[in-house]
Amino acid sequence: MSVPMLKIGAVLSTMAMVTNWMSQTLPSLVGLNGTIISSEGTHERIVSGLYPGAEEGWQVYSTASDPDGRCVCTVVAPARNLCKRDPRIRQLRSLTEQVQNVSQSMEVVDLRTSRDLQYVQDSEPLLRGVDGRLHTFVSNPRSLTSKGLQELKGQMSQLRPLFTVVEQYRLDLQTLGTLRMELLNLSIILTAIQEEIGAYDYEELQQRVLLLETRLHSCMNKLGCGRLTAVSNPITVRASGSRFGSWMTDAMIPSSDSRVWSMDGYYKGRRVLEYRTMGDFTKGQNFVQHLLPHPWAGTGHVVYNGSLYYNKHQSNILVQYSFHSRSVLLQRSLSGAGYNNTFPYSWGGSSDIDLMVDELGLWAVYTSIPNAGNIMVSRLDPRSLDVLQSWDTGFPKRSAGEAFMICGTLYVTNSHLAGAKVHFAYHTNTSTYEYTDIPFHNQYSHISMMDYNPRERALYTWNNGHQVLYNVTLFHVIRSDG
């Protein structure tokens, strides 16, 4: 009987890849057409980090190495603009601005020169008249009369503005000399950039990146669920709102929805801000407001497949609100669940019921009096909010700082304050638990929301008025025949 071979690897979803990339030069991408995709049945170590960097310019997709340590399928690609972070683009942008400035200066000089030339042409008959009178007076001084002298003085007064025109010509000559030097410098810089860029075919490079992107997304689809082994350093996305709150993106897999939602506060809130993209959320722009018909309690909300799931204020009722129809689709009581600070996390804040999503679907974390305050985990049907299955973890909820689900495993932190770590894990597939020691940096010392997003494989946290992300390291077991 054939036994499926286990290919074991560690998925390292860290933005450290970006730092490694930026320490290299762009030409290192050119060799990517020699990338090898590992054949079926080989051992491989998959590394993925799907969350874009702070400037949303570079995006790490995936990398792998074979047993000999050779790179198998690596690409770090600009998600929106191939050359956005290339330093030569900044040079070209600066040169473009300089060329525009030179062009504007030349237009001003050309306009002034044309105007002054017209004035000189209009003054030409007067100049000829003055010149003729002067020649007459020089050749026959007796012809110079008092009346003739007055007429000559009048003509000279009319010609006096020509001195200003001549002076302007002198200044324009200096300006033209300066522009000539600027154009010469621009020409030298452009020649250098042209020689450098000439070594690369950016269109070919872009096609190569797109091909690898397709292959790497296919490679990532092979990744099964994994076990948490590490949490990255925090990535602060924004500082906004009060000390408590929640923010999220749609956790549905797959999804092309790029919207971000923010819900400030934990008590009787009704206002949900919807941002078009993560970039808009970071800048606090391009948002619309949803006013919920029922206020929320706590910060354990989640967006799943276009709907917001949240706990209704002063009740154990779960609400499904559609962002598309701007209406409540469903309400259902979570039977026996405590509410109104009966069994909150250690930080309080009406955090009795915590909804979350992982690779397996929608979950509710809560507790009840019959469970003696221990954390209960229930898997929910997102269409009916029926409880499909429940587990008693045996871990006291008031001793937990926060909790999140990854691949059917509940991970619990031992505090919401500085020095917190992931302390406990409950595996629903085997109904077993273990104590863990996975530290993470609680940068702002008061976490009031921590949720895992399976689509981006990142932890979203609200930390003392800061919206913070953590990438996670998962230990994967990938099964294949062969």
Side-chain angles (χ1 to χ4, degrees):
M1 180 176 65
S2 63
V3 179
M5 182 182 66
L6 296 182
K7 298 191 295 182
I8 300 177
V11 174
L12 306 173
S13 300
T14 63
M15 292 308 295
M17 292 286 297
V18 178
T19 304
N20 294 337
W21 162 256
M22 295 305 290
S23 66
Q24 302 171 1
T25 58
L26 186 63
S28 64
L29 274 178
V30 178
L32 288 178
N33 57 346
T35 300
I36 304 170
I37 303 298
S38 61
S39 60
E40 191 69 30
T42 60
H43 297 278
E44 59 186 10
R45 186 170 59 119
I46 306 295
V47 182
S48 80
L50 290 179
Y51 197 78
E55 298 182 19
E56 294 190 312
W58 296 93
Q59 192 168 15
V60 182
Y61 286 102
S62 172
T63 186
S65 60
D66 62 15
D68 298 325
R70 294 177 302 179
C71 185
V72 176
C73 51
T74 302
V75 64
V76 184
R80 290 183 174 84
N81 187 339
L82 183 66
C83 304
K84 182 177 179 181
R85 297 290 289 275
D86 190 340
R88 286 168 299 195
I89 294 303
R90 291 193 293 271
Q91 283 183 293
L92 288 173
R93 187 180 297 113
S94 175
L95 290 175
T96 300
E97 293 174 356
Q98 293 181 49
V99 169
Q100 290 175 346
N101 292 336
V102 170
S103 299
Q104 292 173 358
S105 299
M106 293 181 71
E107 288 178 4
V108 171
V109 172
D110 180 65
L111 179 63
R112 192 163 53 225
T113 302
S114 300
R115 180 196 63 196
D116 293 344
L117 179 60
Q118 184 63 46
Y119 180 80
V120 171
Q121 290 175 344
D122 294 341
S123 302
E124 186 176 0
L126 185 60
L127 281 169
R128 291 185 183 278
V130 171
D131 183 64
R133 279 178 174 274
L134 288 173
H135 275 88
T136 300
F137 294 152
V138 169
S139 60
N140 186 8
R142 290 183 179 182
S143 62
L144 181 60
T145 63
S146 177
K147 180 181 179 180
L149 184 60
Q150 286 298 117
E151 291 176 352
L152 183 60
K153 285 183 177 180
Q155 290 175 330
M156 291 297 294
S157 296
Q158 295 179 44
L159 292 174
R160 191 169 289 120
L162 282 176
F163 290 109
T164 304
V165 173
V166 172
E167 182 62 26
Q168 188 62 58
Y169 270 130
R170 185 179 294 111
L171 295 175
D172 286 347
L173 284 174
Q174 295 176 1
T175 301
L176 289 172
T178 302
L179 294 177
R180 179 177 177 277
M181 292 303 300
E182 289 186 23
L183 288 171
L184 181 61
N185 291 335
L186 289 174
S187 177
I188 293 173
I189 296 173
L190 284 171
T191 300
I193 293 178
Q194 183 179 8
E195 291 176 354
E196 185 178 1
I197 291 181
Y200 315 114
D201 185 340
Y202 277 91
E203 290 185 2
E204 180 184 352
L205 175 60
Q206 185 174 18
Q207 292 300 319
R208 230 180 270 148
V209 169
L210 292 175
L211 176 61
L212 281 175
E213 184 179 324
T214 301
R215 291 181 179 178
L216 292 169
H217 279 295
S218 175
C219 182
M220 288 196 63
N221 288 335
K222 295 181 180 179
L223 293 176
C225 270
R227 181 172 296 187
L228 181 68
T229 58
V231 177
S232 76
N233 286 326
I235 304 167
T236 300
V237 177
R238 187 183 178 194
S240 68
S242 63
R243 190 178 191 185
F244 311 97
S246 61
W247 70 294
M248 64 219 77
T249 56
D250 198 319
M252 180 73 176
I253 303 176
S255 175
S256 58
D257 195 338
S258 60
R259 292 176 293 174
V260 180
W261 292 270
S262 175
M263 302 168 68
D264 191 12
Y266 69 84
Y267 182 74
K268 296 179 68 174
R270 294 178 60 197
R271 191 174 73 129
V272 182
L273 298 183
E274 175 188 300
Y275 296 84
R276 187 179 59 182
T277 65
M278 183 66 74
D280 289 335
F281 173 73
T282 302
K283 299 172 185 176
Q285 64 184 22
N286 294 328
F287 64 86
V288 296
Q289 177 177 291
H290 297 267
L291 193 63
L292 301 178
H294 309 294
W296 71 70
T299 59
H301 330 299
V302 67
V303 174
Y304 186 59
N305 197 21
S307 288
L308 171 70
Y309 294 84
Y310 70 96
N311 176 209
K312 187 176 178 180
H313 176 62
Q314 287 190 336
S315 73
N316 59 10
I317 294 175
L318 307 181
V319 180
Q320 180 188 4
Y321 173 85
S322 169
F323 287 117
H324 177 70
S325 65
R326 291 178 173 261
S327 63
V328 170
L329 301 182
L330 187 63
Q331 295 187 67
R332 185 175 292 275
S333 174
L334 185 59
S335 181
Y339 61 92
N340 199 26
N341 270 332
T342 304
F343 297 108
Y345 289 125
S346 60
W347 64 273
S350 298
S351 55
D352 302 77
I353 298 175
D354 192 0
L355 298 172
M356 49 191 72
V357 171
D358 70 353
E359 290 81 356
L360 304 183
L362 180 64
W363 302 81
V365 170
Y366 60 99
T367 191
S368 64
I369 293 176
N371 291 101
N374 292 331
I375 291 178
M376 289 285 296
V377 181
S378 292
R379 188 175 176 188
L380 306 178
D381 184 339
R383 293 166 296 183
S384 64
L385 292 178
D386 289 337
V387 174
L388 303 178
Q389 190 174 355
S390 296
W391 295 262
D392 184 347
T393 67
F395 192 92
K397 192 165 186 289
R398 287 183 176 275
S399 298
E402 270 291 340
F404 53 91
M405 296 288 296
I406 299 180
C407 298
T409 295
L410 177 71
Y411 294 95
V412 181
T413 69
N414 63 345
S415 174
H416 62 283
L417 303 173
K421 61 183 178 180
V422 180
H423 175 67
F424 178 84
Y426 186 88
H427 309 288
T428 59
N429 61 334
T430 58
S431 298
T432 59
Y433 69 89
E434 63 178 313
Y435 287 94
T436 60
D437 187 11
I438 305 174
F440 62 94
H441 182 36
N442 187 348
Q443 186 171 2
Y444 304 105
S445 304
H446 197 288
I447 293 177
S448 59
M449 167 257 180
M450 177 176 273
D451 270 341
Y452 171 72
N453 187 301
R455 186 172 61 138
E456 297 172 354
R457 293 185 178 175
L459 291 174
Y460 282 63
T461 68
W462 188 290
N463 195 337
N464 212 357
H466 297 79
Q467 291 71 54
V468 181
L469 285 169
Y470 294 88
N471 289 297
V472 295
T473 300
L474 302 180
F475 184 83
H476 281 264
V477 177
I478 307 174
R479 301 177 184 272
S480 65
D481 296 331

